[in-house]
Amino acid sequence: MTEKEKEIEKLLESPGLTDGEKECINLLKKDSYTTSTEFNKLSKTDLTESVSYAAVITSPFNLGNIPKTSRSDRVVQTALKELGDLILVLDEDEKTPERQILALQNMDHGDGNVLEQFPKELLTEELCLTAVERCPVSLEYIPENLKTEQVCEKAFEGMLPYCDEDLCTLHSITDPDVIFKNLDSLGDNYDPLAVFMAINPAIMDKKIMDWGVEHDGNCIRYIPPEKRTGELIEKSFEINGLWGFMGTDILERNPEYIKRGIEQDRLSFNLIPRDLRKPEHYLLQDMLYPDFFECRPDLLPASIKNGNNIFMFNRELQQTLPGKLDFNEVMQLYNGIRVQKGDYIFSYNKEQQHLTQLTPKSQNERMKKEDEEQKKHRRMKR
């Protein structure tokens, strides 16, 4: 026989019980902690104080359906000892200091509502320690003057491994040193990115940000823009490439990472915002991954494939040059810088869209002729 069963049998032996009350109490013995089938069959008049007491012994959840006139001290206390959160079903005038404290001492792990409505003038550090040990997320409702390092540490101890809801506790901690001290242990029990996302950005310092980016480059997204240093951005890129920059303005502020991202892998092109993609980016993607735009023609806009730009310049160049140029050579040639490939020297006039191909001999003759014309021009000026 369980303790609850013993308590109900003891209740049945109490003097003064009517036959009707005994019948109701015996019916309630069929219910359990999570089921109230027999209780729900009872009328309000059936729920005398004694029957109500038996009801909360069987299941504390019955408290909310018991008439206020039958909610005696022993009825309420029995329910609150099982589940402190049930104080929320009581009327305000029933929430005495004693009942509030009893509820706090028996609050559920995952809900801080008990502490949210708890009279702050009754709070002590000892009660705060009890509260966060039972329900870490209730730290949110503890006044700053009682949110001591000891209370915060106790909240960490109360967090259940792999329970993401408990990570909400981190946002209520305003001391970065307390958070940093616990990051490694948190990283063992939770996804490091989830841990980092739960921290209040306003208190992130260098140690916390370094820890986050080192464990997951995507953490850079959750660092305030004004705190993203070049070192953090570079570290994020080394770990996650452009994936870590999604949803940020990092590429807009640091466009040099666009080229590096494309060079890193073929899928990075998809991560570049359309308004930041320039013709040279399409060119580099096409040169490194020749089949990319064949597989994804939707990513090649008409303004690029039908325009006068370096991308189409290279497409035409491939059909005329005897040797293939690399990306830097194409960029130089397109921008008016002569490029030598094998025995040939090439130059391009962007305005006239004219490509000139010269042998070293003809190039020397041309340069000699230009020199003579310049000398002649200088003599005429004199």
Side-chain angles (χ1 to χ4, degrees), residues 339-357:
V339 173
Q340 182 169 349
K341 200 71 176 177
D343 293 332
Y344 296 91
I345 295 174
F346 303 94
S347 65
Y348 179 69
N349 187 309
K350 192 185 298 185
E351 292 181 0
Q352 299 176 2
Q353 299 183 36
H354 179 69
L355 178 68
T356 302
Q357 176 179 316

Side-chain angles (χ1 to χ4, degrees), residues 263-319:
E263 291 171 338
Q264 190 177 68
D265 68 79
R266 65 186 288 135
L267 295 180
S268 290
F269 190 83
N270 299 338
L271 307 177
I272 303 168
R274 289 183 181 274
D275 60 338
L276 296 182
R277 295 175 190 166
K278 297 181 178 180
E280 56 264 34
H281 300 142
Y282 289 93
L283 168 66
L284 181 59
Q285 183 76 9
D286 194 45
M287 295 182 77
L288 292 177
Y289 318 104
D291 64 332
F292 182 81
F293 291 117
E294 292 178 13
C295 298
R296 293 297 308 274
D298 57 303
L299 293 179
L300 187 61
S303 60
I304 296 295
K305 62 183 178 183
N306 297 327
N308 177 21
N309 53 62
I310 194 170
F311 177 85
M312 291 308 300
F313 169 71
N314 182 62
R315 285 276 176 102
E316 296 168 3
L317 205 60
Q318 291 175 353
Q319 300 175 9

Side-chain angles (χ1 to χ4, degrees), residues 73 76-81 83-84 87 96-107 114 118 127:
D73 276 344
V76 173
Q77 288 176 7
T78 299
L80 294 182
K81 284 179 182 178
L83 184 60
I87 194 163
T96 64
E98 294 76 21
R99 289 176 178 176
Q100 289 277 16
I101 292 172
L102 181 62
L104 183 148
Q105 293 170 336
N106 295 281
M107 62 197 297
V114 172
F118 192 91
L127 285 175

Side-chain angles (χ1 to χ4, degrees), residues 18-19 160-161 167 193 257:
T18 66
D19 291 340
L160 297 177
L167 284 178
L193 179 60
Y257 282 101

Side-chain angles (χ1 to χ4, degrees), residues 54-73:
V56 293
I57 292 175
T58 304
S59 174
F61 298 104
N62 292 327
L63 180 65
N65 293 312
I66 290 173
K68 186 175 181 179
T69 54
S70 295
R71 293 201 293 249
S72 64
D73 276 344

